[in-house]
PDB file of all heavy atoms in Angstrom:
ATOM      1  N   ILE L   1      46.600  77.230 132.226  1.00 95.00           N
ATOM      2  CA  ILE L   1      46.041  78.540 132.560  1.00 95.00           C
ATOM      3  C   ILE L   1      47.211  79.527 132.568  1.00 95.00           C
ATOM      4  O   ILE L   1      48.132  79.394 133.372  1.00 95.00           O
ATOM      5  CB  ILE L   1      45.356  78.524 133.930  1.00 95.00           C
ATOM      6  CG1 ILE L   1      44.293  77.425 133.981  1.00 95.00           C
ATOM      7  CG2 ILE L   1      44.738  79.894 134.237  1.00 95.00           C
ATOM      8  CD1 ILE L   1      43.879  77.046 135.388  1.00 95.00           C
ATOM      9  N   PRO L   2      47.242  80.512 131.669  1.00 95.00           N
ATOM     10  CA  PRO L   2      48.421  81.381 131.562  1.00 95.00           C
ATOM     11  C   PRO L   2      48.497  82.420 132.676  1.00 95.00           C
ATOM     12  O   PRO L   2      47.481  82.860 133.216  1.00 95.00           O
ATOM     13  CB  PRO L   2      48.230  82.054 130.196  1.00 95.00           C
ATOM     14  CG  PRO L   2      46.751  82.065 129.996  1.00 95.00           C
ATOM     15  CD  PRO L   2      46.228  80.819 130.640  1.00 95.00           C
ATOM     16  N   CYS L   3      49.720  82.790 132.996  1.00 95.00           N
ATOM     17  CA  CYS L   3      49.962  83.861 133.954  1.00 95.00           C
ATOM     18  C   CYS L   3      49.778  85.201 133.245  1.00 95.00           C
ATOM     19  O   CYS L   3      50.178  85.353 132.087  1.00 95.00           O
ATOM     20  CB  CYS L   3      51.381  83.755 134.504  1.00 95.00           C
ATOM     21  SG  CYS L   3      51.814  85.050 135.695  1.00 95.00           S
ATOM     22  N   PRO L   4      49.188  86.199 133.912  1.00 91.00           N
ATOM     23  CA  PRO L   4      48.976  87.487 133.239  1.00 91.00           C
ATOM     24  C   PRO L   4      50.257  88.239 132.916  1.00 91.00           C
ATOM     25  O   PRO L   4      50.279  89.042 131.987  1.00 91.00           O
ATOM     26  CB  PRO L   4      48.115  88.262 134.236  1.00 91.00           C
ATOM     27  CG  PRO L   4      48.392  87.645 135.559  1.00 91.00           C
ATOM     28  CD  PRO L   4      48.632  86.196 135.279  1.00 91.00           C
ATOM     29  N   ARG L   5      51.358  87.980 133.660  1.00 94.00           N
ATOM     30  CA  ARG L   5      52.538  88.822 133.482  1.00 94.00           C
ATOM     31  C   ARG L   5      53.852  88.078 133.302  1.00 94.00           C
ATOM     32  O   ARG L   5      54.829  88.646 132.833  1.00 94.00           O
ATOM     33  CB  ARG L   5      52.687  89.775 134.672  1.00 94.00           C
ATOM     34  CG  ARG L   5      51.652  90.873 134.737  1.00 94.00           C
ATOM     35  CD  ARG L   5      52.078  92.010 135.664  1.00 94.00           C
ATOM     36  NE  ARG L   5      52.102  91.658 137.059  1.00 94.00           N
ATOM     37  CZ  ARG L   5      53.203  91.538 137.789  1.00 94.00           C
ATOM     38  NH1 ARG L   5      54.390  91.740 137.231  1.00 94.00           N
ATOM     39  NH2 ARG L   5      53.150  91.226 139.064  1.00 94.00           N
ATOM     40  N   SER L   6      53.933  86.807 133.678  1.00 97.00           N
ATOM     41  CA  SER L   6      55.236  86.142 133.763  1.00 97.00           C
ATOM     42  C   SER L   6      55.601  85.373 132.502  1.00 97.00           C
ATOM     43  O   SER L   6      54.744  84.805 131.828  1.00 97.00           O
ATOM     44  CB  SER L   6      55.248  85.166 134.948  1.00 97.00           C
ATOM     45  OG  SER L   6      55.010  85.841 136.159  1.00 97.00           O
ATOM     46  N   THR L   7      56.903  85.349 132.235  1.00 98.00           N
ATOM     47  CA  THR L   7      57.448  84.529 131.159  1.00 98.00           C
ATOM     48  C   THR L   7      58.085  83.276 131.768  1.00 98.00           C
ATOM     49  O   THR L   7      58.277  83.181 132.989  1.00 98.00           O
ATOM     50  CB  THR L   7      58.515  85.292 130.361  1.00 98.00           C
ATOM     51  OG1 THR L   7      59.677  85.478 131.201  1.00 98.00           O
ATOM     52  CG2 THR L   7      58.002  86.650 129.899  1.00 98.00           C
ATOM     53  N   VAL L   8      58.464  82.351 130.897  1.00 98.00           N
ATOM     54  CA  VAL L   8      59.145  81.143 131.360  1.00 98.00           C
ATOM     55  C   VAL L   8      60.487  81.488 131.996  1.00 98.00           C
ATOM     56  O   VAL L   8      60.947  80.788 132.900  1.00 98.00           O
ATOM     57  CB  VAL L   8      59.311  80.156 130.184  1.00 98.00           C
ATOM     58  CG1 VAL L   8      60.298  79.040 130.512  1.00 98.00           C
ATOM     59  CG2 VAL L   8      57.948  79.559 129.816  1.00 98.00           C
ATOM     60  N   LEU L   9      61.117  82.592 131.584  1.00 98.00           N
ATOM     61  CA  LEU L   9      62.383  82.980 132.206  1.00 98.00           C
ATOM     62  C   LEU L   9      62.194  83.248 133.696  1.00 98.00           C
ATOM     63  O   LEU L   9      63.069  82.935 134.514  1.00 98.00           O
ATOM     64  CB  LEU L   9      62.977  84.216 131.518  1.00 98.00           C
ATOM     65  CG  LEU L   9      64.342  84.656 132.067  1.00 98.00           C
ATOM     66  CD1 LEU L   9      65.388  83.556 131.914  1.00 98.00           C
ATOM     67  CD2 LEU L   9      64.815  85.931 131.387  1.00 98.00           C
ATOM     68  N   PHE L  10      61.058  83.820 134.081  1.00 97.00           N
ATOM     69  CA  PHE L  10      60.759  84.019 135.499  1.00 97.00           C
ATOM     70  C   PHE L  10      60.708  82.674 136.214  1.00 97.00           C
ATOM     71  O   PHE L  10      61.245  82.519 137.320  1.00 97.00           O
ATOM     72  CB  PHE L  10      59.437  84.765 135.658  1.00 97.00           C
ATOM     73  CG  PHE L  10      58.940  84.824 137.078  1.00 97.00           C
ATOM     74  CD1 PHE L  10      59.598  85.577 138.031  1.00 97.00           C
ATOM     75  CD2 PHE L  10      57.807  84.117 137.466  1.00 97.00           C
ATOM     76  CE1 PHE L  10      59.157  85.632 139.341  1.00 97.00           C
ATOM     77  CE2 PHE L  10      57.345  84.165 138.770  1.00 97.00           C
ATOM     78  CZ  PHE L  10      58.020  84.920 139.717  1.00 97.00           C
ATOM     79  N   ALA L  11      60.066  81.692 135.598  1.00 97.00           N
ATOM     80  CA  ALA L  11      59.997  80.356 136.198  1.00 97.00           C
ATOM     81  C   ALA L  11      61.388  79.750 136.343  1.00 97.00           C
ATOM     82  O   ALA L  11      61.730  79.176 137.388  1.00 97.00           O
ATOM     83  CB  ALA L  11      59.115  79.455 135.344  1.00 97.00           C
ATOM     84  N   TYR L  12      62.204  79.875 135.297  1.00 98.00           N
ATOM     85  CA  TYR L  12      63.572  79.349 135.362  1.00 98.00           C
ATOM     86  C   TYR L  12      64.363  80.011 136.488  1.00 98.00           C
ATOM     87  O   TYR L  12      65.052  79.343 137.256  1.00 98.00           O
ATOM     88  CB  TYR L  12      64.299  79.607 134.037  1.00 98.00           C
ATOM     89  CG  TYR L  12      63.908  78.725 132.878  1.00 98.00           C
ATOM     90  CD1 TYR L  12      64.376  79.005 131.596  1.00 98.00           C
ATOM     91  CD2 TYR L  12      63.093  77.607 133.044  1.00 98.00           C
ATOM     92  CE1 TYR L  12      64.050  78.199 130.507  1.00 98.00           C
ATOM     93  CE2 TYR L  12      62.751  76.806 131.962  1.00 98.00           C
ATOM     94  CZ  TYR L  12      63.235  77.111 130.697  1.00 98.00           C
ATOM     95  OH  TYR L  12      62.910  76.315 129.620  1.00 98.00           O
ATOM     96  N   PHE L  13      64.267  81.338 136.566  1.00 98.00           N
ATOM     97  CA  PHE L  13      65.048  82.072 137.564  1.00 98.00           C
ATOM     98  C   PHE L  13      64.579  81.722 138.970  1.00 98.00           C
ATOM     99  O   PHE L  13      65.392  81.562 139.885  1.00 98.00           O
ATOM    100  CB  PHE L  13      64.948  83.576 137.328  1.00 98.00           C
ATOM    101  CG  PHE L  13      65.864  84.386 138.204  1.00 98.00           C
ATOM    102  CD1 PHE L  13      67.166  84.656 137.824  1.00 98.00           C
ATOM    103  CD2 PHE L  13      65.434  84.870 139.436  1.00 98.00           C
ATOM    104  CE1 PHE L  13      68.026  85.386 138.634  1.00 98.00           C
ATOM    105  CE2 PHE L  13      66.270  85.607 140.255  1.00 98.00           C
ATOM    106  CZ  PHE L  13      67.583  85.869 139.862  1.00 98.00           C
ATOM    107  N   ALA L  14      63.261  81.620 139.173  1.00 96.00           N
ATOM    108  CA  ALA L  14      62.727  81.311 140.500  1.00 96.00           C
ATOM    109  C   ALA L  14      63.266  79.979 141.007  1.00 96.00           C
ATOM    110  O   ALA L  14      63.694  79.855 142.163  1.00 96.00           O
ATOM    111  CB  ALA L  14      61.202  81.291 140.453  1.00 96.00           C
ATOM    112  N   GLN L  15      63.263  78.969 140.135  1.00 96.00           N
ATOM    113  CA  GLN L  15      63.766  77.663 140.554  1.00 96.00           C
ATOM    114  C   GLN L  15      65.265  77.719 140.831  1.00 96.00           C
ATOM    115  O   GLN L  15      65.739  77.222 141.861  1.00 96.00           O
ATOM    116  CB  GLN L  15      63.494  76.609 139.480  1.00 96.00           C
ATOM    117  CG  GLN L  15      63.997  75.224 139.889  1.00 96.00           C
ATOM    118  CD  GLN L  15      64.075  74.242 138.738  1.00 96.00           C
ATOM    119  OE1 GLN L  15      64.166  74.638 137.580  1.00 96.00           O
ATOM    120  NE2 GLN L  15      64.053  72.959 139.039  1.00 96.00           N
ATOM    121  N   TRP L  16      66.012  78.330 139.932  1.00 97.00           N
ATOM    122  CA  TRP L  16      67.470  78.378 140.072  1.00 97.00           C
ATOM    123  C   TRP L  16      67.889  79.154 141.322  1.00 97.00           C
ATOM    124  O   TRP L  16      68.752  78.697 142.091  1.00 97.00           O
ATOM    125  CB  TRP L  16      68.061  79.015 138.818  1.00 97.00           C
ATOM    126  CG  TRP L  16      69.547  79.170 138.828  1.00 97.00           C
ATOM    127  CD1 TRP L  16      70.484  78.220 138.572  1.00 97.00           C
ATOM    128  CD2 TRP L  16      70.281  80.376 139.095  1.00 97.00           C
ATOM    129  NE1 TRP L  16      71.753  78.739 138.653  1.00 97.00           N
ATOM    130  CE2 TRP L  16      71.650  80.068 138.979  1.00 97.00           C
ATOM    131  CE3 TRP L  16      69.896  81.676 139.412  1.00 97.00           C
ATOM    132  CZ2 TRP L  16      72.647  81.023 139.172  1.00 97.00           C
ATOM    133  CZ3 TRP L  16      70.884  82.635 139.613  1.00 97.00           C
ATOM    134  CH2 TRP L  16      72.245  82.294 139.492  1.00 97.00           C
ATOM    135  N   PHE L  17      67.272  80.310 141.533  1.00 95.00           N
ATOM    136  CA  PHE L  17      67.629  81.148 142.680  1.00 95.00           C
ATOM    137  C   PHE L  17      67.295  80.455 143.994  1.00 95.00           C
ATOM    138  O   PHE L  17      68.129  80.346 144.890  1.00 95.00           O
ATOM    139  CB  PHE L  17      66.897  82.492 142.551  1.00 95.00           C
ATOM    140  CG  PHE L  17      66.793  83.269 143.835  1.00 95.00           C
ATOM    141  CD1 PHE L  17      67.922  83.656 144.519  1.00 95.00           C
ATOM    142  CD2 PHE L  17      65.546  83.619 144.353  1.00 95.00           C
ATOM    143  CE1 PHE L  17      67.830  84.372 145.709  1.00 95.00           C
ATOM    144  CE2 PHE L  17      65.443  84.332 145.529  1.00 95.00           C
ATOM    145  CZ  PHE L  17      66.583  84.711 146.209  1.00 95.00           C
ATOM    146  N   THR L  18      66.062  79.951 144.125  1.00 94.00           N
ATOM    147  CA  THR L  18      65.641  79.391 145.415  1.00 94.00           C
ATOM    148  C   THR L  18      66.288  78.048 145.715  1.00 94.00           C
ATOM    149  O   THR L  18      66.512  77.716 146.886  1.00 94.00           O
ATOM    150  CB  THR L  18      64.113  79.245 145.473  1.00 94.00           C
ATOM    151  OG1 THR L  18      63.672  78.389 144.416  1.00 94.00           O
ATOM    152  CG2 THR L  18      63.439  80.596 145.331  1.00 94.00           C
ATOM    153  N   ASP L  19      66.623  77.276 144.682  1.00 93.00           N
ATOM    154  CA  ASP L  19      67.275  75.998 144.943  1.00 93.00           C
ATOM    155  C   ASP L  19      68.676  76.178 145.511  1.00 93.00           C
ATOM    156  O   ASP L  19      69.276  75.212 145.984  1.00 93.00           O
ATOM    157  CB  ASP L  19      67.350  75.163 143.658  1.00 93.00           C
ATOM    158  CG  ASP L  19      66.072  74.374 143.413  1.00 93.00           C
ATOM    159  OD1 ASP L  19      65.120  74.550 144.196  1.00 93.00           O
ATOM    160  OD2 ASP L  19      66.010  73.609 142.435  1.00 93.00           O
ATOM    161  N   GLY L  20      69.183  77.402 145.489  1.00 93.00           N
ATOM    162  CA  GLY L  20      70.478  77.657 146.101  1.00 93.00           C
ATOM    163  C   GLY L  20      70.438  77.585 147.608  1.00 93.00           C
ATOM    164  O   GLY L  20      71.455  77.265 148.245  1.00 93.00           O
ATOM    165  N   PHE L  21      69.291  77.882 148.233  1.00 91.00           N
ATOM    166  CA  PHE L  21      69.237  77.883 149.698  1.00 91.00           C
ATOM    167  C   PHE L  21      68.054  77.109 150.265  1.00 91.00           C
ATOM    168  O   PHE L  21      67.984  76.883 151.479  1.00 91.00           O
ATOM    169  CB  PHE L  21      69.222  79.323 150.249  1.00 91.00           C
ATOM    170  CG  PHE L  21      68.125  80.184 149.692  1.00 91.00           C
ATOM    171  CD1 PHE L  21      66.889  80.252 150.303  1.00 91.00           C
ATOM    172  CD2 PHE L  21      68.341  80.947 148.564  1.00 91.00           C
ATOM    173  CE1 PHE L  21      65.884  81.042 149.776  1.00 91.00           C
ATOM    174  CE2 PHE L  21      67.342  81.756 148.031  1.00 91.00           C
ATOM    175  CZ  PHE L  21      66.109  81.798 148.645  1.00 91.00           C
ATOM    176  N   LEU L  22      67.107  76.701 149.431  1.00 92.00           N
ATOM    177  CA  LEU L  22      66.006  75.854 149.887  1.00 92.00           C
ATOM    178  C   LEU L  22      66.307  74.425 149.420  1.00 92.00           C
ATOM    179  O   LEU L  22      65.905  74.004 148.342  1.00 92.00           O
ATOM    180  CB  LEU L  22      64.675  76.353 149.321  1.00 92.00           C
ATOM    181  CG  LEU L  22      64.244  77.741 149.787  1.00 92.00           C
ATOM    182  CD1 LEU L  22      62.941  78.154 149.129  1.00 92.00           C
ATOM    183  CD2 LEU L  22      64.114  77.800 151.312  1.00 92.00           C
ATOM    184  N   ARG L  23      67.031  73.724 150.238  1.00 93.00           N
ATOM    185  CA  ARG L  23      67.508  72.393 149.868  1.00 93.00           C
ATOM    186  C   ARG L  23      67.074  71.379 150.921  1.00 93.00           C
ATOM    187  O   ARG L  23      67.334  71.561 152.106  1.00 93.00           O
ATOM    188  CB  ARG L  23      69.039  72.382 149.768  1.00 93.00           C
ATOM    189  CG  ARG L  23      69.607  73.265 148.662  1.00 93.00           C
ATOM    190  CD  ARG L  23      71.132  73.191 148.659  1.00 93.00           C
ATOM    191  NE  ARG L  23      71.591  71.821 148.726  1.00 93.00           N
ATOM    192  CZ  ARG L  23      71.739  71.019 147.664  1.00 93.00           C
ATOM    193  NH1 ARG L  23      71.463  71.479 146.452  1.00 93.00           N
ATOM    194  NH2 ARG L  23      72.155  69.782 147.803  1.00 93.00           N
ATOM    195  N   GLY L  24      66.402  70.330 150.471  1.00 92.00           N
ATOM    196  CA  GLY L  24      65.993  69.285 151.391  1.00 92.00           C
ATOM    197  C   GLY L  24      67.135  68.347 151.726  1.00 92.00           C
ATOM    198  O   GLY L  24      68.284  68.517 151.298  1.00 92.00           O
ATOM    199  N   ASP L  25      66.808  67.347 152.504  1.00 92.00           N
ATOM    200  CA  ASP L  25      67.787  66.336 152.900  1.00 92.00           C
ATOM    201  C   ASP L  25      68.207  65.528 151.673  1.00 92.00           C
ATOM    202  O   ASP L  25      67.376  65.135 150.856  1.00 92.00           O
ATOM    203  CB  ASP L  25      67.154  65.419 153.947  1.00 92.00           C
ATOM    204  CG  ASP L  25      68.133  64.414 154.522  1.00 92.00           C
ATOM    205  OD1 ASP L  25      69.339  64.720 154.565  1.00 92.00           O
ATOM    206  OD2 ASP L  25      67.687  63.330 154.932  1.00 92.00           O
ATOM    207  N   THR L  26      69.496  65.287 151.530  1.00 90.00           N
ATOM    208  CA  THR L  26      70.000  64.521 150.387  1.00 90.00           C
ATOM    209  C   THR L  26      70.370  63.089 150.760  1.00 90.00           C
ATOM    210  O   THR L  26      70.838  62.334 149.915  1.00 90.00           O
ATOM    211  CB  THR L  26      71.233  65.212 149.774  1.00 90.00           C
ATOM    212  OG1 THR L  26      72.234  65.383 150.792  1.00 90.00           O
ATOM    213  CG2 THR L  26      70.869  66.572 149.204  1.00 90.00           C
ATOM    214  N   ASN L  27      70.151  62.725 152.014  1.00 90.00           N
ATOM    215  CA  ASN L  27      70.462  61.362 152.441  1.00 90.00           C
ATOM    216  C   ASN L  27      69.358  60.399 152.011  1.00 90.00           C
ATOM    217  O   ASN L  27      68.230  60.807 151.707  1.00 90.00           O
ATOM    218  CB  ASN L  27      70.629  61.300 153.966  1.00 90.00           C
ATOM    219  CG  ASN L  27      71.838  62.078 154.443  1.00 90.00           C
ATOM    220  OD1 ASN L  27      72.918  61.956 153.890  1.00 90.00           O
ATOM    221  ND2 ASN L  27      71.655  62.899 155.470  1.00 90.00           N
ATOM    222  N   ILE L  28      69.673  59.118 152.003  1.00 86.00           N
ATOM    223  CA  ILE L  28      68.688  58.080 151.710  1.00 86.00           C
ATOM    224  C   ILE L  28      68.660  57.106 152.897  1.00 86.00           C
ATOM    225  O   ILE L  28      69.702  56.538 153.257  1.00 86.00           O
ATOM    226  CB  ILE L  28      69.052  57.330 150.412  1.00 86.00           C
ATOM    227  CG1 ILE L  28      69.055  58.301 149.233  1.00 86.00           C
ATOM    228  CG2 ILE L  28      68.055  56.201 150.159  1.00 86.00           C
ATOM    229  CD1 ILE L  28      69.507  57.679 147.928  1.00 86.00           C
ATOM    230  N   PRO L  29      67.506  56.914 153.554  1.00 90.00           N
ATOM    231  CA  PRO L  29      66.212  57.550 153.259  1.00 90.00           C
ATOM    232  C   PRO L  29      66.207  59.023 153.666  1.00 90.00           C
ATOM    233  O   PRO L  29      66.948  59.437 154.564  1.00 90.00           O
ATOM    234  CB  PRO L  29      65.232  56.736 154.104  1.00 90.00           C
ATOM    235  CG  PRO L  29      66.053  56.247 155.252  1.00 90.00           C
ATOM    236  CD  PRO L  29      67.409  55.974 154.697  1.00 90.00           C
ATOM    237  N   ARG L  30      65.367  59.780 152.988  1.00 92.00           N
ATOM    238  CA  ARG L  30      65.282  61.223 153.210  1.00 92.00           C
ATOM    239  C   ARG L  30      64.492  61.524 154.486  1.00 92.00           C
ATOM    240  O   ARG L  30      63.485  60.903 154.774  1.00 92.00           O
ATOM    241  CB  ARG L  30      64.584  61.869 152.009  1.00 92.00           C
ATOM    242  CG  ARG L  30      64.544  63.381 152.029  1.00 92.00           C
ATOM    243  CD  ARG L  30      63.880  63.889 150.764  1.00 92.00           C
ATOM    244  NE  ARG L  30      62.500  63.440 150.676  1.00 92.00           N
ATOM    245  CZ  ARG L  30      61.476  64.095 151.217  1.00 92.00           C
ATOM    246  NH1 ARG L  30      61.684  65.225 151.878  1.00 92.00           N
ATOM    247  NH2 ARG L  30      60.252  63.643 151.098  1.00 92.00           N
ATOM    248  N   ASP L  31      64.984  62.504 155.237  1.00 95.00           N
ATOM    249  CA  ASP L  31      64.323  62.953 156.468  1.00 95.00           C
ATOM    250  C   ASP L  31      63.707  64.322 156.199  1.00 95.00           C
ATOM    251  O   ASP L  31      64.448  65.290 155.980  1.00 95.00           O
ATOM    252  CB  ASP L  31      65.346  63.034 157.602  1.00 95.00           C
ATOM    253  CG  ASP L  31      64.711  63.364 158.953  1.00 95.00           C
ATOM    254  OD1 ASP L  31      63.564  63.847 158.970  1.00 95.00           O
ATOM    255  OD2 ASP L  31      65.388  63.160 159.986  1.00 95.00           O
ATOM    256  N   PRO L  32      62.375  64.463 156.200  1.00 95.00           N
ATOM    257  CA  PRO L  32      61.760  65.765 155.883  1.00 95.00           C
ATOM    258  C   PRO L  32      62.086  66.857 156.893  1.00 95.00           C
ATOM    259  O   PRO L  32      61.874  68.038 156.602  1.00 95.00           O
ATOM    260  CB  PRO L  32      60.259  65.453 155.858  1.00 95.00           C
ATOM    261  CG  PRO L  32      60.099  64.231 156.695  1.00 95.00           C
ATOM    262  CD  PRO L  32      61.354  63.431 156.467  1.00 95.00           C
ATOM    263  N   ARG L  33      62.611  66.487 158.049  1.00 95.00           N
ATOM    264  CA  ARG L  33      62.980  67.505 159.043  1.00 95.00           C
ATOM    265  C   ARG L  33      64.296  68.183 158.712  1.00 95.00           C
ATOM    266  O   ARG L  33      64.582  69.274 159.197  1.00 95.00           O
ATOM    267  CB  ARG L  33      63.102  66.862 160.432  1.00 95.00           C
ATOM    268  CG  ARG L  33      61.854  66.191 160.959  1.00 95.00           C
ATOM    269  CD  ARG L  33      62.186  65.461 162.259  1.00 95.00           C
ATOM    270  NE  ARG L  33      63.259  64.483 162.048  1.00 95.00           N
ATOM    271  CZ  ARG L  33      64.025  63.983 163.038  1.00 95.00           C
ATOM    272  NH1 ARG L  33      63.843  64.390 164.286  1.00 95.00           N
ATOM    273  NH2 ARG L  33      64.968  63.103 162.760  1.00 95.00           N
ATOM    274  N   LYS L  34      65.131  67.506 157.897  1.00 96.00           N
ATOM    275  CA  LYS L  34      66.502  67.949 157.686  1.00 96.00           C
ATOM    276  C   LYS L  34      66.650  68.691 156.363  1.00 96.00           C
ATOM    277  O   LYS L  34      65.805  68.621 155.473  1.00 96.00           O
ATOM    278  CB  LYS L  34      67.452  66.740 157.696  1.00 96.00           C
ATOM    279  CG  LYS L  34      67.378  65.878 158.945  1.00 96.00           C
ATOM    280  CD  LYS L  34      67.821  66.618 160.198  1.00 96.00           C
ATOM    281  CE  LYS L  34      69.325  66.804 160.262  1.00 96.00           C
ATOM    282  NZ  LYS L  34      70.082  65.555 160.479  1.00 96.00           N
ATOM    283  N   ASN L  35      67.767  69.416 156.241  1.00 95.00           N
ATOM    284  CA  ASN L  35      68.086  70.132 155.007  1.00 95.00           C
ATOM    285  C   ASN L  35      69.582  70.037 154.747  1.00 95.00           C
ATOM    286  O   ASN L  35      70.355  69.646 155.631  1.00 95.00           O
ATOM    287  CB  ASN L  35      67.634  71.594 155.088  1.00 95.00           C
ATOM    288  CG  ASN L  35      68.423  72.379 156.117  1.00 95.00           C
ATOM    289  OD1 ASN L  35      69.572  72.764 155.877  1.00 95.00           O
ATOM    290  ND2 ASN L  35      67.834  72.616 157.289  1.00 95.00           N
ATOM    291  N   SER L  36      69.974  70.389 153.534  1.00 94.00           N
ATOM    292  CA  SER L  36      71.395  70.397 153.164  1.00 94.00           C
ATOM    293  C   SER L  36      71.809  71.793 152.711  1.00 94.00           C
ATOM    294  O   SER L  36      72.641  71.949 151.822  1.00 94.00           O
ATOM    295  CB  SER L  36      71.651  69.378 152.043  1.00 94.00           C
ATOM    296  OG  SER L  36      70.810  69.633 150.928  1.00 94.00           O
ATOM    297  N   SER L  37      71.222  72.802 153.340  1.00 94.00           N
ATOM    298  CA  SER L  37      71.402  74.184 152.898  1.00 94.00           C
ATOM    299  C   SER L  37      72.474  74.915 153.692  1.00 94.00           C
ATOM    300  O   SER L  37      72.700  74.625 154.879  1.00 94.00           O
ATOM    301  CB  SER L  37      70.071  74.936 153.040  1.00 94.00           C
ATOM    302  OG  SER L  37      70.221  76.298 152.726  1.00 94.00           O
ATOM    303  N   ASN L  38      73.108  75.887 153.041  1.00 93.00           N
ATOM    304  CA  ASN L  38      73.971  76.831 153.751  1.00 93.00           C
ATOM    305  C   ASN L  38      73.180  78.004 154.313  1.00 93.00           C
ATOM    306  O   ASN L  38      73.734  78.852 155.020  1.00 93.00           O
ATOM    307  CB  ASN L  38      75.053  77.367 152.814  1.00 93.00           C
ATOM    308  CG  ASN L  38      76.072  76.314 152.435  1.00 93.00           C
ATOM    309  OD1 ASN L  38      76.307  75.368 153.177  1.00 93.00           O
ATOM    310  ND2 ASN L  38      76.680  76.460 151.264  1.00 93.00           N
ATOM    311  N   HIS L  39      71.898  78.096 153.960  1.00 93.00           N
ATOM    312  CA  HIS L  39      70.978  79.124 154.441  1.00 93.00           C
ATOM    313  C   HIS L  39      71.378  80.536 154.014  1.00 93.00           C
ATOM    314  O   HIS L  39      70.917  81.514 154.588  1.00 93.00           O
ATOM    315  CB  HIS L  39      70.837  79.068 155.964  1.00 93.00           C
ATOM    316  CG  HIS L  39      70.307  77.761 156.468  1.00 93.00           C
ATOM    317  ND1 HIS L  39      68.961  77.472 156.504  1.00 93.00           N
ATOM    318  CD2 HIS L  39      70.934  76.638 156.907  1.00 93.00           C
ATOM    319  CE1 HIS L  39      68.781  76.249 156.961  1.00 93.00           C
ATOM    320  NE2 HIS L  39      69.963  75.719 157.207  1.00 93.00           N
ATOM    321  N   HIS L  40      72.214  80.644 153.005  1.00 93.00           N
ATOM    322  CA  HIS L  40      72.607  81.945 152.478  1.00 93.00           C
ATOM    323  C   HIS L  40      72.381  81.979 150.974  1.00 93.00           C
ATOM    324  O   HIS L  40      72.396  80.941 150.303  1.00 93.00           O
ATOM    325  CB  HIS L  40      74.097  82.213 152.726  1.00 93.00           C
ATOM    326  CG  HIS L  40      74.412  82.682 154.109  1.00 93.00           C
ATOM    327  ND1 HIS L  40      73.898  83.845 154.637  1.00 93.00           N
ATOM    328  CD2 HIS L  40      75.200  82.144 155.070  1.00 93.00           C
ATOM    329  CE1 HIS L  40      74.366  84.001 155.866  1.00 93.00           C
ATOM    330  NE2 HIS L  40      75.149  82.987 156.157  1.00 93.00           N
ATOM    331  N   ILE L  41      72.192  83.184 150.456  1.00 94.00           N
ATOM    332  CA  ILE L  41      72.320  83.388 149.018  1.00 94.00           C
ATOM    333  C   ILE L  41      73.821  83.463 148.766  1.00 94.00           C
ATOM    334  O   ILE L  41      74.456  84.494 148.982  1.00 94.00           O
ATOM    335  CB  ILE L  41      71.605  84.671 148.573  1.00 94.00           C
ATOM    336  CG1 ILE L  41      70.107  84.574 148.874  1.00 94.00           C
ATOM    337  CG2 ILE L  41      71.829  84.930 147.087  1.00 94.00           C
ATOM    338  CD1 ILE L  41      69.346  85.871 148.632  1.00 94.00           C
TER     339      ILE L  41
END
């Protein structure tokens, strides 16, 4: 189902930008309560 306005570049940028500060736990096993973020852009 196509988006009325967005290109794939928007999708690429959204993932790249937000993955900079929205980071889950990187330990194994993973704890959903924890994060590995600096909480900054």
Side-chain angles (χ1 to χ4, degrees):
I1 305 162
C3 179
R5 289 197 291 111
S6 300
T7 69
V8 166
L9 183 60
F10 171 69
Y12 285 171
F13 187 87
Q15 180 195 23
W16 178 80
F17 161 59
T18 59
D19 275 4
F21 55 90
L22 296 178
R23 296 179 48 85
D25 186 29
T26 56
N27 294 313
I28 298 175
R30 186 178 62 87
D31 186 343
R33 300 173 303 160
K34 304 296 286 291
N35 67 77
S36 56
S37 175
N38 291 333
H39 300 277
H40 280 299
I41 298 172

